Amino acid sequence: MSNESVTSVTQPGDGTDSVLSARGLGKTVTGADGDLTILDDVTFDVARGETLAVVGPSGAGKSTVMQLLLRFYDPQQGCVRLDGVDLRDADLAEIRRRIAIVPQEPVIFAGSVHDNIRYGRPGADDAAVELAAEAAHAMPFIRQLPKGLNSALGERGVRLSGGQKQRLAIAAALALRPDVMVLDEPTSQLDPEAAAEGWRLLAEAAAVDPVAGWYRVEQALVMGEPSALARALETLAGLCEGVGAAILRFLAAHLRGQKEDPSEK
């Protein structure tokens, strides 16, 4: 991860070890049936080099948390901080530079491969672009294109498969060299085989580029009702190994009202 600090803010950071933190996030919406609480006192700290997995069913508030982290809007209650600086006091362009996102459906422009990878960091040189493409395992198919990195991709990447688009989205995020990487279900648009390959690429990227060490899961923010939480924990267990996976399955079983000993898993 980069060790740079926010450079355009109206107040200094608080000196904490957390690169990203949230305190008491809350959101309520009003509809025909009255008020609906989307977020209630959501709090977490993510240190540099750590990963926070946000899991839960549809409608639990995962996307709302992501939108607050990217400052698409401000929280009704609480705050989000980047290196101790409240995002409301930070320069929005600086936030965008330091937080990258790999979305569910990659956005591909009609320009060249080179343009798509460096759109978030226009000043990136050819070496940086190629390093990011290598880290995302995109170079094998890029080399097969007529003009390599200079090949035009067509409107919305019409010439690429879903997996190839995903690799370019990962490469673009890596080229930005962000302090925070947001993965918004980046393999949800792929078939199971391609999705498994996508997660493998995300993991292996760490071996090529040190900035990509975010694939290890140290924390989980689990959102939703008990039965939904149990399903989410089981999903998270599938991304873990050993004792961690056993504990997550034990918690899921507990939420379902079962009694299982994690030592038996």
Side-chain angles (χ1 to χ4, degrees):
M1 291 289 183
S2 168
N3 289 320
E4 297 173 359
S5 298
V6 174
T7 57
S8 301
V9 295
T10 57
Q11 66 181 41
D14 61 7
T16 65
D17 293 331
S18 299
V19 65
L20 184 69
S21 63
R23 291 289 179 273
L25 293 182
K27 180 183 178 183
T28 302
V29 296
T30 301
D33 297 325
D35 291 343
L36 175 64
T37 299
I38 305 299
L39 299 178
D40 182 20
D41 195 25
V42 174
T43 297
F44 57 81
D45 290 279
V46 185
R48 201 170 295 276
E50 286 188 341
T51 295
L52 170 71
V54 182
V55 295
S58 177
K62 303 187 301 297
S63 293
T64 300
V65 170
M66 181 193 72
Q67 291 161 0
L68 292 173
L69 297 182
L70 296 168
R71 207 191 169 196
F72 288 167
Y73 54 85
D74 293 328
Q76 293 173 337
Q77 293 93 37
C79 66
V80 178
R81 296 189 178 101
L82 183 62
D83 273 350
V85 178
D86 191 319
L87 294 190
R88 288 169 290 200
D89 298 324
D91 179 77
L92 188 58
E94 190 69 15
I95 296 172
R96 298 286 184 266
R97 186 190 69 78
R98 297 189 57 193
I99 302 179
I101 180 171
V102 179
Q104 293 184 28
E105 185 171 351
V107 177
I108 304 297
F109 303 107
S112 68
V113 176
H114 191 282
D115 293 337
N116 273 271
I117 292 177
R118 71 171 192 169
Y119 80 89
R121 185 183 162 202
D125 58 23
D126 291 347
V129 169
E130 188 164 346
L131 176 64
E134 289 283 7
H137 288 235
M139 283 307 298
F141 84 80
I142 291 174
R143 291 190 181 101
Q144 295 177 3
L145 297 175
K147 296 182 180 180
L149 285 167
N150 294 316
S151 299
L153 296 178
E155 192 67 32
R156 301 184 67 181
V158 66
R159 300 178 183 176
L160 302 178
S161 68
Q164 290 171 338
K165 292 178 182 178
Q166 203 67 57
R167 286 174 175 83
L168 284 188
I170 294 170
L174 292 176
L176 188 60
R177 301 195 63 82
D179 286 329
V180 178
M181 180 81 77
V182 178
L183 305 177
D184 182 19
E185 300 185 40
T187 61
S188 65
Q189 301 297 318
L190 306 180
D191 59 61
E193 183 177 349
E197 174 71 2
W199 284 114
R200 184 183 69 79
L201 294 178
L202 287 168
E204 290 188 358
V208 179
D209 190 343
V211 76
W214 30 257
Y215 75 94
R216 299 178 303 272
V217 177
E218 283 85 13
Q219 300 185 60
L221 176 61
V222 186
M223 310 174 72
E225 296 299 321
S227 61
L229 292 179
R231 293 193 297 272
L233 286 171
E234 289 165 351
T235 298
L236 185 60
L239 300 175
C240 302
E241 297 178 353
V243 175
I247 291 174
L248 289 171
R249 292 192 178 98
F250 171 74
L251 293 174
H254 177 74
L255 287 170
R256 293 183 185 280
Q258 302 173 10
K259 295 183 179 179
E260 295 186 10
D261 186 342
S263 65
E264 297 176 356
K265 295 293 183 180

